[in-house]
């Protein structure tokens, strides 16, 4: 959802995060739960690009763009 909100391709996210495109694709397709370090890199890259991660608040966790 964060990638879609920012309108970024897998290659762009890979460049921003230092995570391989294959790893990102496997994570997005549910083929991998993601290693803690990988998830940290992705979250940091998305936050730097303007995404805010929202904790579970009754409707489940989510993301939004910074104002």
């Amino acid at each position: 959802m964060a990638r879609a909100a920012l309108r970024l391709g897998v290659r762009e996210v890979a460049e921003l995060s230092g995570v391989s495109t294959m790893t990102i694709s496997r994570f997005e397709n549910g083929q991998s739960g993601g290693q803690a370090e990988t998830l940290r890199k992705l979250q940091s890259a998305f936050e730097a690009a303007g995404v805010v991660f929202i904790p579970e608040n009754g409707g489940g966790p989510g993301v939004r763009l910074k104002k």
Side-chain angles (χ1 to χ4, degrees):
M1 301 252 325
R3 184 168 73 80
L6 292 168
R7 298 181 183 184
L8 295 175
V10 173
R11 288 183 189 148
E12 294 161 310
V13 173
E15 289 175 19
L16 292 171
S17 65
V19 175
S20 75
T21 57
M22 183 61 71
T23 297
I24 294 167
S25 293
R26 280 189 301 232
F27 177 71
E28 288 183 351
N29 292 326
Q31 296 172 344
S32 170
Q35 299 292 322
E37 180 64 14
T38 300
L39 297 176
R40 185 195 62 73
K41 287 180 179 181
L42 289 170
Q43 182 172 350
S44 293
F46 286 131
E47 288 174 339
V51 168
V52 175
F53 286 82
I54 303 166
E56 189 160 341
N57 60 358
V63 297
R64 68 173 175 82
L65 295 176
K66 290 180 187 174
K67 290 185 177 182

